[in-house]
Amino acid sequence: MTSQQREPIVDLGDGGPGRRLVAVEYLVASLITASVALLPGWTGVHDGVILTIAVSGLLSGAGLLLVPAWPLLSHRAALVGAAVTTSVGVYAADGSPAVGVFVALYCATAAHIPFLRSVRGMLAATALPFLLLPTALLASGHPGQVAGWLAVLPATTVLPVLGVRSLLSLAARRARRDGGSELLNRRGLFESCAEQLQASEGLAGQATVSVAHFDDLRDLRLALGPAAAEEVIAECARRAADLPGAVVARIDQDSLAVVRPAELDGSGEATSTCRAEGRVLLDVLREHVVLSGDGPGQGLTVRPDVSIGVACAPQHGREVEELLALADVAAVRAAGDQEHVAVAEGEAAFDADALRLHAELPAAVEAGQLRVHYQRLVAAGTGRTVGVEALVRWQHPERGLLGPGAFIPLAERSQAIVGLTYWVLRTAAAQCAAWRADGHDVGMSVNVSPVVLADPALLNAVRRAIAENHLGDGVLTLEVTESALLGDPEGAGAVLADLRAAGARISLDDFGTGYTSLTMLRQLEVDELKIDRCFVAAAAQVPADTAIVRALVDLAHRLSMEVVAEGVEDASTADLIHALGADVLQGFHFARPVPAADVFPSAPVGSGAPSATEPVPAPRGADEEERVQLAHTVLRSARSSAEVLSSITALAAAVSGTQFASFNVVTEEHVHLLAPHGHETALAPRDGTPCAWTVQQHDVLHLDPSTDGRGAGGSASRAGIQHYVGAPVIDAAGRVLGVLCAYDRGLLPSSDLQRSQLQLLADVVADHLAGIDVADRLDGARNMLRAVAELDDGHHRVPGPDRVVATFATAVHELLRPDHSLVVHPAPSGAGPWQLLEHRGDVDPHLLTRVGFDLTGRSAVARSIATGRPVWVPDAATSSLEESDLTRHLGAAAILTVPVTTGHGGVSHVLVAVWRDPQHELDPVLRTTAVAIAGRAARELTAPVADSATPVHAAG
């Protein structure tokens, strides 16, 4: 709905002429009727009937004027009565010229017709005289006059109806429109938006009301005249009206109001939604306007100075007038704000309902009324689920499921948010551990407000959540907003450093909407930068936002941060943000926040017992038809790929330590087993086959088909398979092409490293099916697997840590394929710079002696040693990290450091992968696999005996 839409028909049923006007009409019509009977010259009329009509009209008119209790007939009854009475007068005129007087009196009746409520009623009332007039003429014995008077009748009925209707519509339009610009005025805005805002219920019915003050129009009006100012505000209103769903009104001389539907972001906070809406509107209104009208400003370019205030329905109210007042106050504050955007404050948080909810919140936590919903985060390009964000909801016993906007804002103004956050932290950490135990290699993100960040108990709460649920380093991510850092940047920075040391990742949430300086960003220990949805959602339509996203991605990568883009609502935005370099995507295009049971498809409750006849069918997605068509295309193209696929399935079996492997393609009712390794089966039913479930969940799946409901009773279970692990083969568009599966008749473990390697091989299959030459990658995979196999059992043959480190270096070097790989370790004295232990790649050993690894500097190695995490530097020349020695002596342009963490979080070795050319991106699967290999090396360095896990044997 926009302000440029066609004007709706105005309902005038509740208005219409008042008592006095109707009384005057009765009196005038009665006097004219009486004159027909009393004045000479009217021959052949029935005077008595006409006088009776006149007297009754005079009495009605006088009664309406003099007696307050005199009834005023409804429009419909008055219209019928007047038409019948006038027709009786036609009959009494008995064919004399007096008939013309009564035909003319139909005008008085017609003037009331536009006040009827319905079009049908207006048509019926207009047509009534066309039925009554011929009846009266025929009854009086003058059929010859019927045609003539019917030809005259439209002038006294239809034309008055149309005329009055037009006048009333014009009056109503003028009442709803600004006289100078023809924009909706305040009354018009209220009428246009009242129904929309009254329907604002829950997350699906959000709306924002924005007020834009043009701070410089007064000066422009004085300098160039009123016409220039009117042209500026008219052009700005036109641009605002082009925003999706916008209703635009001019509420005073220098202000516009804009109402738009909106939806809360993943955090559920109205404040971020309002601020995002204000920024969008500000960008639109501050574009340059070229004056085109006649006058002294013709051809001049003007850039309006605008301040925006925003309120959100229903959080700040449901009445348009109330929301407009709040936004107007916020706009005044925005004039002194650096961003020129302000959000309505306080009023919504302290209404009676919110205070009541706030009082009930602690008891609700104890009573178990809170719920945590989870929204999936996916890897850009592959669509693989890499994490979930925990978002709290309240299952209120009386009000139903409440979003966070209903109770979080007030909770954040008190200590109630502390207990609530710790409950969410415990719940989310336990759920993450359960998912990981089921084979879902995902992380968990939890929001931390400024109040909680300042709470001294936060650090211990995070430590307990990680330790009690056996979450590894970097599995738990704490999301903090820019505002949490502004009050005490140094203190907040120290807290973040302690949280990272405890094993949590730190994400800077809603980045771009606050005031974090680049200096502060450079100094903070942050792992992840989350670009605010206001930039992401508009990037596909607004070039400026595209440039902002590209710049933020580049900035984050140069600061060795991972980039998450929230607010991805459609496929085109997902493709664009991926092309701009974001690592992880979040938004309704991939998943909405849902209960834990709905995050990953699973068998129904109680289906764990095997059934020989009733396997649980895998769900079929909304895009099942399109997916099946793609599967048949893959089958056709894979016929010429038997040799390559056979090599990959052999490697998959070696990676997983299984007897069998295959590349499976799922069609309508069957699973096609391509390039099977260890068996000759080529076709199986879809239902009861675990890989059909893998297709649906877009993630690595590990289960026992003999007991899990997703495989029990199916072909795999009947064949005696007890171990299954499958990795989806996903193309660049995020579509699942098939599943790379490894399986065995024995119960086998499945480590993080094995799952990472299987996913890596699945990516090789995707590249091969896309026509990319994968020969070098297969050779590298074989070499990497050989090294990992040595790493598993190498200390049986060659004791000592040197062999472990050497095989670790070989495995990661073959995996990443950099120009050089260096392994450094502490000096024997335990103090001073670290020293080079191993290197791979063609490099002059003399140059290596010049490279230092000082722990006190801001190098990637120093950061990995301090945090125990990998550090990625895509372009060393522009990075905030200082890599002078590597750049000067080895020509390093891109660097990845992979620490080997042993004992209680201590780092024993760091592998430094060096590329001579800048790298736009590094496949997350490669990075994950390198970290997993480092973890395997750490276990070998600390274990006195062989690892109990099944050894991985390299495929030749």
Side-chain angles (χ1 to χ4, degrees):
M1 179 170 56
T2 71
S3 61
Q4 306 300 320
Q5 64 187 347
R6 184 173 60 86
E7 192 72 34
I9 294 176
V10 181
D11 178 14
L12 300 170
D14 293 330
R19 292 173 63 88
R20 291 188 178 185
L21 179 58
V22 172
V24 171
E25 288 180 347
Y26 280 158
L27 294 174
V28 173
S30 298
L31 291 174
I32 294 175
T33 301
S35 69
V36 173
L38 299 176
L39 294 178
W42 302 104
T43 59
V45 297
H46 301 285
D47 294 341
V49 174
I50 292 176
L51 284 174
T52 300
I53 295 172
V55 171
S56 63
L58 289 171
L59 289 175
S60 296
L64 289 173
L65 284 176
L66 302 175
V67 182
W70 193 279
L72 177 64
L73 297 177
S74 67
H75 297 313
R76 182 171 299 181
L79 285 169
V80 173
V84 170
T85 302
T86 305
S87 298
V88 171
V90 171
Y91 169 82
D94 197 18
S96 69
V99 170
V101 175
F102 291 103
V103 171
L105 286 178
Y106 276 122
C107 288
T109 303
H112 288 257
I113 291 176
F115 295 99
L116 289 175
R117 293 182 181 276
S118 67
V119 174
R120 181 182 297 178
M122 286 188 287
L123 292 176
T126 305
L128 186 61
F130 287 86
L131 175 63
L132 295 178
L133 176 63
T135 300
L137 290 173
L138 291 174
S140 64
H142 302 283
Q145 296 185 14
V146 172
W149 287 117
L150 282 178
V152 175
L153 190 58
T156 62
T157 54
V158 177
L159 291 181
V161 170
L162 295 178
V164 173
R165 185 70 179 171
S166 298
L167 289 173
L168 291 174
S169 296
L170 179 60
R173 177 181 175 82
R174 288 185 175 178
R176 301 174 73 246
R177 298 277 172 172
D178 175 66
S181 62
E182 285 299 303
L183 293 167
L184 290 175
N185 59 16
R186 190 179 292 265
R187 174 182 172 183
L189 180 68
F190 293 165
E191 293 177 357
S192 297
C193 300
E195 182 177 355
Q196 172 186 340
L197 292 176
Q198 287 295 334
S200 295
E201 296 290 347
L203 294 177
Q206 300 292 332
T208 56
V209 177
S210 305
V211 171
H213 286 177
F214 290 80
D215 303 322
D216 57 352
L217 277 192
R218 180 177 177 275
D219 295 335
L220 184 66
R221 196 174 285 110
L222 293 174
L224 301 178
E230 291 299 312
E231 185 176 353
V232 169
I233 204 165
E235 174 61 19
C236 290
R238 183 194 64 77
R239 293 173 180 174
D242 288 338
L243 294 172
V247 179
V248 181
R250 186 174 186 178
I251 57 174
D252 62 37
Q253 190 176 30
D254 294 340
S255 299
L256 294 177
V258 181
V259 179
R260 291 183 66 202
E263 191 166 85
L264 296 186
D265 59 12
S267 68
E269 295 182 356
T271 300
S272 60
T273 301
C274 289
R275 190 167 293 280
E277 172 65 16
R279 290 176 61 89
V280 170
L281 185 60
L282 184 69
D283 291 342
V284 169
L285 298 183
R286 296 187 71 178
E287 293 180 5
H288 291 87
V289 177
V290 180
L291 300 179
S292 58
D294 295 334
Q298 184 176 13
L300 185 66
T301 299
V302 176
R303 187 173 187 268
D305 186 12
V306 186
S307 301
I308 308 288
V310 190
C312 187
Q315 282 76 13
H316 295 116
R318 294 187 182 277
E319 297 296 331
V320 190
E321 188 170 5
E322 175 189 4
L323 291 163
L324 199 62
L326 296 178
D328 202 8
V329 172
V332 174
R333 288 191 289 104
D337 186 273
Q338 182 179 1
E339 194 180 14
H340 288 272
V341 174
V343 177
E345 289 184 348
E347 296 82 359
F350 291 107
D351 63 22
D353 286 342
L355 287 171
R356 190 175 301 111
L357 287 175
H358 180 60
E360 296 172 356
L361 184 57
V365 176
E366 295 297 327
Q369 295 175 6
L370 296 188
R371 305 286 185 269
V372 180
H373 285 196
Y374 302 90
Q375 186 175 28
R376 292 192 291 116
L377 288 78
V378 305
T382 68
R384 176 177 177 267
T385 301
V386 295
V388 291
E389 180 178 356
L391 302 166
V392 68
R393 302 288 188 265
W394 184 351
Q395 189 65 55
H396 196 279
E398 297 176 0
R399 307 186 187 191
L401 189 66
L402 301 177
F407 57 95
I408 291 296
L410 194 55
E412 287 184 331
R413 295 172 182 262
S414 67
Q415 290 299 308
I417 192 65
V418 177
L420 174 61
T421 300
Y422 292 160
W423 177 85
V424 172
L425 178 63
R426 293 191 300 270
T427 304
Q431 182 59 61
C432 182
W435 279 328
R436 293 176 69 83
D438 287 341
H440 301 291
D441 186 15
V442 295
M444 177 64 70
S445 297
V446 176
N447 290 281
V448 176
S449 74
V451 175
V452 178
L453 190 65
D455 185 55
L458 174 62
L459 182 59
N460 286 333
V462 170
R463 286 172 175 163
R464 283 196 303 272
I466 293 174
E468 291 174 359
N469 296 284
H470 307 289
L471 302 180
D473 287 350
V475 174
L476 176 66
T477 297
L478 303 177
E479 296 189 4
V480 299
T481 59
E482 296 177 82
S483 59
L485 310 174
L486 296 179
D488 181 12
E490 292 185 4
V495 172
L496 297 185
D498 289 341
L499 292 171
R500 294 179 84 241
R505 297 172 72 249
I506 303 300
S507 174
L508 192 56
D509 196 13
D510 298 334
F511 187 77
T513 60
Y515 303 103
T516 304
S517 70
L518 295 182
T519 301
M520 184 189 302
L521 187 63
R522 181 178 181 178
Q523 294 172 348
L524 291 173
E525 295 291 336
V526 175
D527 302 277
E528 177 182 287
L529 187 145
K530 202 166 187 181
I531 303 177
D532 188 75
R533 70 188 318 274
C534 68
F535 301 114
V536 174
Q541 292 81 31
V542 183
D545 284 341
T546 305
I548 290 173
V549 172
R550 179 184 287 111
L552 291 178
V553 169
D554 186 57
L555 171 66
H557 283 166
R558 294 179 191 282
L559 294 173
S560 300
M561 299 178 190
E562 189 174 59
V563 177
V564 177
E566 58 181 346
V568 179
E569 311 297 337
D570 51 57
S572 61
T573 302
D575 292 342
L576 173 61
I577 302 303
H578 173 224
L580 295 177
D583 304 300
V584 178
L585 307 180
Q586 179 182 7
F588 287 174
H589 175 61
F590 300 102
R592 290 177 177 268
V594 294
D598 299 330
V599 174
F600 298 106
S602 61
V605 175
S607 63
S611 169
T613 57
E614 296 294 335
V616 178
R620 300 175 188 265
D623 60 344
E624 179 70 6
E625 183 176 352
E626 179 183 352
R627 190 200 63 75
V628 169
Q629 292 177 354
L630 178 63
H632 285 289
T633 302
V634 172
L635 285 176
R636 290 191 295 269
S637 63
R639 291 170 183 166
S640 60
S641 305
E643 182 178 353
V644 173
L645 291 178
S646 295
S647 298
I648 294 174
T649 54
L651 286 170
V655 161
S656 305
T658 59
Q659 183 180 358
F660 311 113
S662 58
F663 170 52
N664 295 357
V665 178
V666 182
T667 56
E668 298 94 329
E669 302 298 337
H670 294 91
V671 175
H672 300 258
L673 288 74
L674 307 183
H677 176 82
H679 66 85
E680 297 181 357
T681 304
L683 192 68
R686 178 185 187 275
D687 291 340
T689 305
C691 60
W693 292 84
T694 310
V695 167
Q696 293 301 317
Q697 75 173 32
H698 281 61
D699 200 0
V700 177
L701 176 64
H702 174 221
L703 56 81
D704 177 359
S706 66
T707 59
D708 193 288
R710 291 166 286 185
S715 58
S717 175
R718 291 194 299 270
I721 299 299
Q722 293 184 287
H723 170 83
Y724 165 90
V725 59
V729 176
I730 303 175
D731 68 4
R735 304 175 301 177
V736 178
L737 307 179
V739 181
L740 185 61
C741 306
Y743 35 100
D744 200 281
R745 289 193 176 97
L747 288 172
L748 303 176
S750 179
S751 66
D752 291 343
L753 176 58
Q754 288 173 323
R755 291 194 292 269
S756 296
Q757 290 172 323
L758 190 65
Q759 184 63 66
L760 182 65
L761 291 173
D763 292 345
V764 174
V765 176
D767 287 345
H768 173 67
L769 294 176
I772 300 173
D773 186 0
V774 297
D776 287 345
R777 293 186 64 184
L778 282 177
D779 289 341
R782 291 189 182 96
N783 294 334
M784 183 264 293
L785 291 175
R786 289 193 182 97
V788 171
E790 289 186 31
L791 195 60
D792 272 332
D793 57 4
H795 69 282
H796 281 299
R797 295 176 284 105
V798 184
D802 290 348
R803 180 63 178 176
V804 174
V805 174
T807 52
F808 159 64
T810 299
V812 176
H813 184 76
E814 292 291 347
L815 171 73
L816 301 177
R817 294 298 184 92
D819 294 300
H820 314 301
S821 292
L822 315 177
V823 177
V824 297
H825 69 146
S829 63
W834 279 32
Q835 297 177 353
L836 179 67
L837 180 63
E838 292 273 348
H839 75 271
R840 299 289 184 273
D842 184 15
V843 60
D844 184 354
H846 179 67
L847 294 176
L848 294 176
T849 61
R850 303 179 182 179
V851 179
F853 301 95
D854 186 0
L855 303 190
T856 61
R858 288 185 54 83
S859 67
V861 171
R863 188 165 183 178
S864 270
I865 293 170
T867 64
R869 296 182 180 85
V871 174
W872 169 234
V873 180
D875 188 350
T878 58
S879 173
S880 65
L881 300 179
E882 300 169 1
E883 309 292 349
S884 56
D885 279 3
L886 290 174
T887 303
R888 184 184 312 113
H889 300 300
L890 299 184
I895 300 167
L896 174 68
T897 57
V898 182
V900 177
T901 305
T902 59
H904 301 284
V907 177
S908 64
H909 300 80
V910 175
L911 181 138
V912 185
V914 174
W915 289 264
R916 293 195 184 96
D917 296 318
Q919 303 294 303
H920 176 62
E921 61 183 10
L922 180 65
D923 189 335
V925 175
L926 294 178
R927 193 185 318 182
T928 301
T929 306
V931 172
I933 295 173
R936 180 66 62 89
R939 288 196 297 274
E940 292 295 332
L941 288 172
T942 56
V945 294
D947 194 305
S948 60
T950 301
V952 176
H953 299 287

